[in-house]
Amino acid sequence: MDLETPQIAKKAHAGNFIIIRINETGERIPLTIADYDRILGTITIVFQVVGKTTTLLSYLNEGDDILDVAGPLGNAIHIKKYENPVVVIGGGVGIAPAYPQAKELKDAGNKILTIIGARTKNLLFWKDKMASVSDELIICTDDGSEGIKGVVTEPLKKIITEKKVSLVIAIGPLIMMKYVVLTTNGSSGLPKIDTMVSLNPIMVDGTGMCGGCRYLTNTGEVYFACVDGPDVDGHTVDFDNLIKRSMRYKEQEMKSIEHYDHECKAIKKLNKDKNE
Amino acid sequence: MEEQKPNDRIHNFKEVPLGFTEEKAIIEANRCLQCAKPLCVEGCPVNINIPEFIKHIKEKNFREAIESIKNFNILPAICGRVCPQEVQCEEKCVLGKRWEPVAIGALERFVADWERNNMLKSCPECMPPNGIKVAIIGCGPASITCAADLAKYGYDVTIFEAFHTGGGVLVYGIPEFRLPKAIVADEIDTLTEMGVKIYYNAIIGKLYSIQDLREMGFKAFFIGVGAGLPMMLRIPGLKLIGVLTANEFLTRANLMKAYSFPDYDTPINIGKVVIVIGGGNVALDSARTALRLGAEKVIIVYRRSEQEMPARREEYHHAKEEGIEFQFLTNPIRFIGDENDNVFQMECIRMKLGEPDESGRRRPIPIENSEFIIDTNTIIVAVGTNANPVLTKSTPELKLNKWGYIETDEDGRTNIEDIFAGGDIVTGSATVISAMGAGRKAAITINKYLLKNK
Ligand SMILES: Cc1cc2nc3c(=O)[nH]c(=O)nc-3n(C[C@H](O)[C@H](O)[C@H](O)COP(=O)(O)OP(=O)(O)OC[C@H]3O[C@@H](n4cnc5c(N)ncnc54)[C@H](O)[C@@H]3O)c2cc1C
Ligand SMILES: Cc1cc2nc3c(=O)[nH]c(=O)nc-3n(C[C@H](O)[C@H](O)[C@H](O)COP(=O)(O)OP(=O)(O)OC[C@H]3O[C@@H](n4cnc5c(N)ncnc54)[C@H](O)[C@@H]3O)c2cc1C
Ligand code: SF4
Ligand code: SF4
Ligand code: FES
């Protein structure tokens, strides 16, 4: 989905996100800026329908307004030319935020090896777009309906065994990022490689004010994903804790949906493949 | 003053004190001695002419009363409700030495409410527009005051606010039952009537830098971004689910109206027993909000004693009446979670008071072998805030002190000629009225600066 917001488009960089609120009673939800066009003054968001806000968002038509859009938030990733190739991994909706990072790194002269993965074929998207900024594109699906059958860490292992790699970027579900980090942190017998992950804990303000987005490092330090991230050094993150935290409001989010739509239309839509 | 009964009010978010009736206000005003050298005025950070406005109330000239106040304070409905009067104006009132001081705050609130309820609020007069653009960053009480004063001087004022609504801590911190949001909204409306433009969702430092604003033609800047960053306790178990900062809790509850969930979409879940750590207004507000959200038991754990508690006295009394439990001289040492990382207990240690520390308050010292455990479902940490770095990081030339707050002189000047600042981002967490005072001072300084550079 493209949003017309020239000022944000002007300032956006890979790694930034926005916070939107659809209506007066709505939640504030964060979404990554997946692409931007400074000339048209637009930014692109890609979202997965998981709950009420994203459902409402999916009902919007071209030309509709969104009540509030605040951004660009978070730190842009550091772009430079690395000595060896960079591996960019996008899992599920994470493919979208991985794209601008691959693009900016490619523009900076890096060799980009991209792996994208999803549960099944029709959840994959932006294959061509990704290919256009990658030197090599590997596709995998859990069920083998397209590309390699298996999870993204399989091709990753292969790459880092065979080649020298300067950096790995992994964006996707927490569990995926956790396993990517386990692959690259030197504990698996494979070489240790710097790994950036993109955290998406529950956020309220996105400006460092509430502390709701805090995450812990393995050594117990506290950081705020919205102002210290969202892209952070994966090797330091306590993923198990983040995974548990992310479930905190599950029960109530379900209530919110039920309240909103007794016929559960929204829930039916939930699994509907959704992109742009 | 009439109040909602404790048993009723813990089930709603409506205001607790109901305010004076006209008769009561006049009776209270009659108690004022009209001192020739009124000490109360010295106690008020913005030096409201207290005997004068009280005299007008005595004589039933409510309109004159409110106009008199507004010469000093543009947000009387707010200050009358949230000022810590017991350490400001009312502390100094001579009657207080032997009897109860005059209820100055309640009288101030009364005339402000009288004006609003009778729809008599008028837009303050502004000088003819001079076309000079001034940018105000943040929309808390410091900024609101600065913006209003500059608009009166005729400047073309734009406020940039990070959130989708104005008021700062007045809307996302202080709860509805202490300060109805409609009152804040009303004040923001007055600002727009005065021609102040408000640009919401505009995070300065992200969407625009100060340099961008300069290029857009703004000639001076006031920074009133508050002290946003919550402080964390460095104790084991911080990662547990159910341990949250007061900022997150109050923001969810107030700004995002989680108390109307599921009509509003933002959820909150607290369980039966809630512990709040801290002894300031933030701690009390969190505790009382938790009670209203359905907690069966709320315990405040504070490491010093009752006397040192920095919270507003009236709120402490209200909290006690509402059945909030207080564990004074108690410090948390560890949060304890189950196998799913849900917090279910907190270990504490008893404290005793030692010698006074730098702040002049007696330093709490742990008592050996006094550890004990409290069962709980949610822990809310309200132990203070730090400076929010979002704006200051994007303006590295701006001089900060070692805690990250902006350094200014008495009149609100920073080390950069066209940038001024005030409120919590300069002083650290303080009060609404001191933030307003700083906003007003800065407006005067900005006016001088712009007149000189015309
Ligand atoms: C920095 C950042 C960038 C993100 N970028 C994207 C993106 O590009 N595309 C995308 O599809 N999603 C993205 N997300 C996740 C997205 O914000 C959530 O999917 C969204 O908030 C869910 O809202 P909802 O009302 O539809 O669902 P809800 O009913 O609120 O929740 C459904 C599920 O989502 C989880 N959730 C709820 N609120 C949040 C929240 N604020 N943050 C994270 N998870 C939440 C809940 O735990 C629940 O399991 C991002 C999150 C962050 C923090
Ligand atoms: C729960 C609680 C209870 C309190 N109770 C009392 C009380 O009873 N009495 C009392 O006197 N005081 C009380 N206080 C303190 C008082 O509210 C503050 O001292 C006062 O609000 C400070 O005003 P300010 O204008 O400096 O900043 P704030 O009110 O903090 O406002 C700052 C504004 O700037 C915005 N902002 C921040 N960064 C940016 C950016 N980069 N770009 C744009 N906008 C930005 C914020 O969103 C916010 O709206 C309480 C505080 C809290 C948290
Ligand atoms: S502004 Fe505050 S301190 Fe001043 S008179 Fe009013 S209540 Fe008292
Ligand atoms: S000190 Fe008390 S009695 Fe004297 S003028 Fe002030 S309010 Fe009235
Ligand atoms: S979202 Fe509130 S501090 Fe990060």
Side-chain angles (χ1 to χ4, degrees), chain B residues 368-389:
Chain B
E368 254 176 71
N369 298 324
S370 66
E371 291 87 352
F372 66 102
I373 283 180
I374 318 180
D375 289 337
T376 183
N377 303 103
T378 297
I379 296 175
I380 300 172
V381 183
V383 294
T385 49
N386 292 323
N388 189 324

Side-chain angles (χ1 to χ4, degrees), chain B residues 3 13 93 201 214 315 322 388 398 416 436 451:
Chain B
E3 294 183 343
F13 274 84
C93 171
N201 300 306
R214 280 196 191 104
E315 309 312 335
E322 287 167 10
N388 189 324
L398 199 61
I416 301 173
M436 289 177 55
L451 287 175

Side-chain angles (χ1 to χ4, degrees), chain B residues 132-309:
Chain B
I132 302 173
K133 286 166 71 176
V134 181
I136 310 271
I137 303 162
C139 192
S143 297
I144 293 175
T145 311
C146 189
D149 282 358
L150 289 170
K152 280 189 216 155
Y153 298 147
Y155 292 100
D156 179 356
V157 180
T158 308
I159 296 182
F160 295 88
E161 165 57 47
F163 269 129
H164 55 255
T165 176
V169 170
L170 304 179
V171 294
Y172 61 70
I174 304 179
E176 178 78 14
F177 57 84
R178 278 222 287 138
L179 177 63
K181 302 305 154 230
I183 293 176
V184 183
D186 198 64
E187 297 301 343
I188 306 270
D189 286 347
T190 308
L191 271 186
T192 29
E193 273 169 39
M194 291 169 74
V196 173
K197 286 167 272 211
I198 308 184
Y199 188 159
Y200 293 113
N201 300 306
I203 301 154
I204 304 305
K206 294 288 182 187
L207 187 66
Y208 297 106
S209 64
I210 290 198
Q211 187 51 34
D212 293 336
L213 296 177
R214 280 196 191 104
E215 281 158 22
M216 287 156 71
F218 288 95
K219 297 289 180 228
F221 306 88
F222 175 76
I223 305 179
V225 295
L229 218 63
M231 254 190 247
M232 295 282 178
L233 284 167
R234 304 265 156 199
I235 61 177
L238 197 60
K239 66 173 188 179
L240 297 174
I241 297 153
V243 177
L244 45 157
T245 69
N247 279 18
E248 182 188 1
F249 177 69
L250 289 172
T251 310
R252 279 182 178 266
N254 295 327
L255 180 70
M256 305 310 293
K257 303 200 168 58
Y259 60 81
S260 303
F261 183 87
D263 287 336
Y264 279 73
D265 299 342
T266 305
I268 202 154
N269 69 21
I270 53 174
K272 284 189 184 142
V273 183
V274 176
I275 297 179
V276 179
I277 302 171
N281 284 314
V282 184
L284 289 194
D285 285 345
S286 304
R288 297 171 71 201
T289 300
L291 199 65
R292 284 160 174 77
L293 288 172
E296 287 168 17
K297 185 163 156 181
V298 181
I299 309 165
I300 288 190
V301 169
Y302 178 50
R303 62 198 182 116
R304 302 180 200 248
S305 76
E306 191 175 344
Q307 285 75 44
E308 284 83 20
M309 241 179 41

Side-chain angles (χ1 to χ4, degrees), chain A residues 202-213 224-227:
Chain A
I202 290 171
M203 292 189 177
V204 182
D205 59 306
T207 62
M209 201 205 74
C210 72
C213 65
F224 292 171
C226 69
V227 285

Side-chain angles (χ1 to χ4, degrees), chain A residues 116-128:
Chain A
I116 60 176
R119 278 201 314 280
T120 180
K121 182 176 166 188
N122 52 16
L123 291 176
L124 285 167
F125 60 94
W126 282 18
K127 278 177 287 189
D128 295 342

